Amino acid sequence: MKRFRIVVAGCGNMANTWIKYALERQDAEIVALVDINEENARAMARRYGLNCGIYQDIEKAIKDSSANLVFDVTVPEAHHRIVTTALKMGCDVLGEKPMASSMEEAREMVSVASKSGRMYAVMQNRRYLKHIRAFRELVSSGVIGKPGFVCADFFLGPHFGGFREVMDSPLILDMAIHTFDQARFIIGADPVSVYCHEFNPPGSWYKGNAAAVCIFEFSDGSVFCYRGSWCAQGAPTSWESCWRITGSKGTAIWDGVNPPYCEVVVEGHTKQFIYETKRVEATYSWNGREGHVGCLDEMFNALLEGRKAETDCTDNIKSMAMVFGALESARKGKKIML
């Protein structure tokens, strides 16, 4: 019997990535597929030649298959039920973002994970990119001094169609958590407060607010400013955002695509009106795989080593707090303490 006996909950398009990963591993096997539409699960089984149980109910799937690990690739509204059921039945859970559709649900999921002694970790694939790892190392190395002002611009105009175009807050709810989580990862600090103004610009094809400006205060005293739009046509940023971090000695830059760098004050040249600076390139020490597979590698390594994953629910809930805090701030028109 292989070490990881996996139930895949949710057999939509994203499940392909998770299933392909599991099939790569010598220590894992998929023992059940779950979907509210059984035909989706059957189609997935046929696609990958899986000879496993097909279910509509997560509890029965776990019980029948003696699973010890659940992949939660369901819609956000189902995460709470899938995750808490699996944890209470003795399974570890690795799931797609966002954790839940409310902070109350997210807190309960963290509590259930703690009481069960099982691991629940959340996919944050944008942490697992060679450039963001180098950018983080550049900032944490102290070369720009103490970071004080963190800025991220996200301007894209994707025409998704479907559910995003009728959501109330498509940018913040569906996308901004990536950038918020990146900010926490890069700075290594936690959010303390937020003021958010969200709106729907002229020309938007979204029903809800597709643009926002957020100001977060962090536990290290730094300020994070997020400017974003999902209906910005022309001159797009990358999906990873365009970053500028100013510190006490210089500024670090990353456009989300090219290698990051910084410009720092040259010692001994501090008598001019504008101080002379020199460019410092980032160094690359991280050699992991990128994207989803990089995050899944980390999750499985954490399970094998008996430690918390980097994106464990106890950490990821802080990024969730940024999302729901921003929404509350926008609704109330005032700064919210997190």
Side-chain angles (χ1 to χ4, degrees):
M1 184 182 293
K2 295 187 177 180
R3 174 158 185 163
F4 299 109
R5 295 176 55 79
I6 302 167
V7 170
V8 179
C11 293
N13 185 55
M14 182 54 74
N16 287 287
T17 301
W18 290 71
I19 289 172
K20 287 175 184 173
Y21 179 86
L23 294 176
E24 280 183 10
R25 296 190 67 99
Q26 298 299 309
D27 57 0
E29 62 178 323
I30 295 170
V31 295
L33 296 173
V34 180
D35 199 283
I36 53 172
N37 181 347
E38 281 192 10
E39 184 47 43
N40 289 343
R42 289 194 188 94
M44 197 67 79
R46 288 193 298 269
R47 183 174 304 154
Y48 294 101
L50 299 174
N51 183 24
C52 64
I54 304 295
Y55 299 89
Q56 287 182 308
D57 179 64
I58 184 67
E59 192 169 350
K60 183 168 174 53
I62 293 170
K63 196 176 295 181
D64 287 357
S65 65
S66 299
N68 58 14
L69 178 61
V70 170
F71 285 175
D72 177 21
V73 206
T74 59
V75 295
E77 293 74 21
H79 288 179
H80 175 266
R81 182 178 63 83
I82 295 292
V83 170
T84 54
T85 299
L87 291 169
K88 288 173 182 177
M89 293 183 71
C91 292
D92 295 302
V93 183
L94 311 180
E96 271 294 340
K97 63 85 188 167
M99 277 180 65
S101 52
S102 71
M103 276 304 291
E104 291 72 25
E105 286 185 348
R107 290 189 191 101
E108 185 181 350
M109 292 156 82
V110 172
S111 175
V112 171
S114 175
K115 290 174 183 174
S116 71
R118 312 309 304 182
M119 186 175 94
Y120 171 41
V122 184
M123 175 58 64
Q124 291 292 168
N125 53 308
R126 283 176 166 80
R127 286 186 176 210
Y128 297 88
L129 300 167
K130 62 182 180 180
H131 291 326
I132 196 172
R133 295 272 162 171
F135 190 49
R136 181 197 196 197
E137 288 182 17
L138 193 67
V139 173
S140 64
S141 72
V143 66
I144 65 167
K146 179 176 170 52
F149 196 5
V150 182
C151 302
D153 280 353
F154 179 90
F155 289 89
L156 286 166
H159 294 266
F160 290 108
F163 71 93
R164 290 178 181 88
E165 292 191 5
V166 294
M167 288 172 66
D168 288 337
S169 302
L171 178 72
I172 291 180
L173 265 181
D174 193 56
M175 187 64 210
I177 189 168
H178 282 300
T179 315
F180 295 171
D181 187 73
Q182 285 173 299
R184 290 185 50 240
F185 175 69
I186 293 164
I187 293 300
D190 294 327
V192 174
S193 71
V194 60
Y195 176 78
C196 171
H197 177 70
E198 64 168 356
F199 57 104
N200 210 23
S204 171
W205 50 94
Y206 294 83
K207 178 185 174 185
N209 290 322
V213 178
C214 304
I215 303 169
F216 291 92
E217 293 173 291
F218 271 61
S219 56
D220 64 350
S222 63
V223 173
F224 168 47
C225 181
Y226 170 83
R227 302 189 304 173
S229 172
W230 242 1
C231 57
Q233 313 228 58
T237 64
S238 74
W239 285 87
E240 318 311 329
S241 297
C242 184
W243 295 83
R244 172 183 289 265
I245 299 179
T246 59
S248 55
K249 298 178 182 177
T251 296
I253 298 289
W254 180 45
D255 65 2
V257 176
N258 296 298
Y261 67 94
C262 64
E263 291 188 356
V264 296
V265 172
V266 177
E267 290 184 21
H269 291 259
T270 54
K271 298 194 184 299
Q272 301 100 325
F273 180 59
I274 300 292
Y275 292 172
E276 185 179 337
T277 59
K278 64 178 180 180
R279 180 171 170 134
V280 178
E281 305 292 342
T283 57
Y284 287 76
S285 61
W286 183 72
N287 56 8
R289 297 198 290 175
E290 294 193 299
H292 264 73
V293 294
C295 191
L296 283 163
D297 281 346
E298 157 61 13
M299 290 170 169
F300 272 87
N301 286 339
L303 285 170
L304 290 168
E305 295 164 14
R307 60 173 174 82
K308 284 187 176 181
E310 191 175 81
T311 60
D312 187 79
C313 60
T314 54
D315 177 84
N316 196 248
I317 195 170
K318 296 170 185 175
S319 297
M320 290 291 295
M322 295 175 76
V323 170
F324 289 110
L327 291 173
E328 182 183 354
S329 172
R331 188 170 64 249
K332 294 181 176 178
K334 66 178 185 179
K335 183 164 92 170
I336 299 295
M337 302 307 294
L338 301 176

